[in-house]
Amino acid sequence: MRRRGFTFLEALITLALLSIALGVVAALIGSVNRIERQSGDQGRRLVLVLHALEMMRAEVQEATEIVPTPPTSYRFKKLSPSTDTLLQNPASPEVRLVYSPDQPEALLWGDTWDPRQADHLMTVSYVFGSEGVLNRQALWAGQVNNSVLCDGIYGFRVYRDSWNVEHLEVSVMAGGVLRAYSAAVGSRLP
């Protein structure tokens, strides 16, 4: 009587087929994880781009002057954060109240406030770098502040639509497609 069992050759063939199947499953799981990670990165990048556009739109509303620049950058002047913004439009243009740092509770009479005076203004620039980074540069009172608004983008441009409204546009890869997102910008000041 012969016992029924696996021969060594059958065991090797089964092991080889099982190894191939496990290798295919591992490759599929790796691909799914990579795709999920990429889509998550693209989603986060898209959120950062939209946040940056909203921040730029809000900041340009504070502009006192738009400075002409090439279409891949945008520059404007706005009130410096060191300027007294509580009383930007005083009743009498000859005088204004100034915060006194040594007496925090007191406001003192000061000199005239001129929104176009150089030491009351800062220059802000949005510049697209060749490495796919949108930078914000702020220059005031001899200080320079550089920061990254968003990275991993494919382009930045400024254009004017048929109604003569300026738009800031950021191009980003989303879902394997190059998409452009824009924000209409304009100053609230005359």
Side-chain angles (χ1 to χ4, degrees):
M1 177 171 231
R2 196 169 160 200
R3 286 185 77 191
R4 189 84 173 122
F6 291 108
T7 64
F8 182 68
L9 185 57
E10 290 173 333
L12 283 178
I13 292 172
T14 304
L15 187 59
L17 290 174
L18 187 59
S19 297
I20 291 171
L22 287 176
V24 168
V25 168
L28 286 173
I29 290 173
S31 295
V32 167
N33 284 338
R34 183 177 40 80
I35 290 169
E36 186 176 289
R37 193 171 42 253
Q38 284 176 347
S39 66
D41 290 345
Q42 288 176 355
R44 281 188 291 282
R45 185 173 300 117
L46 181 59
V47 167
L48 290 175
V49 164
L50 295 176
H51 177 71
L53 280 170
E54 178 57 27
M55 191 273 312
M56 289 187 291
R57 186 200 59 73
E59 190 172 40
V60 172
Q61 283 185 340
E62 301 172 6
T64 58
E65 177 185 352
I66 307 298
V67 180
T69 56
T72 57
S73 65
Y74 194 74
R75 182 173 295 145
F76 59 94
K77 293 184 179 187
K78 73 175 202 166
L79 289 175
S80 168
S82 61
T83 302
D84 178 16
T85 58
L86 294 175
L87 298 166
Q88 291 180 9
N89 297 311
S92 171
E94 292 82 46
V95 293
R96 73 176 177 110
L97 294 174
V98 181
Y99 175 75
S100 176
D102 51 41
Q103 297 177 347
E105 67 279 355
L107 289 174
L108 306 174
W109 290 100
D111 58 349
T112 61
W113 177 80
D114 182 3
R116 308 238 186 248
Q117 191 172 335
D119 61 342
H120 293 164
L121 295 176
M122 69 186 297
T123 302
V124 177
S125 301
Y126 302 129
V127 181
F128 176 61
S130 60
E131 59 282 347
V133 176
L134 183 59
N135 294 303
R136 177 188 182 271
Q137 182 183 61
L139 173 65
W140 79 94
Q143 300 175 1
V144 177
N145 181 359
N146 289 312
S147 57
V148 174
L149 292 175
C150 52
D151 60 357
I153 63 173
Y154 285 80
F156 172 73
R157 73 178 180 125
V158 180
Y159 69 93
R160 211 174 270 278
D161 66 14
S162 59
W163 291 290
N164 209 24
V165 175
E166 282 188 320
H167 293 262
L168 302 179
E169 180 182 271
V170 176
S171 301
V172 65
M173 191 66 74
V177 177
L178 186 62
R179 299 180 190 270
Y181 298 93
S182 68
V185 294
S187 174
R188 288 186 181 171
L189 299 175

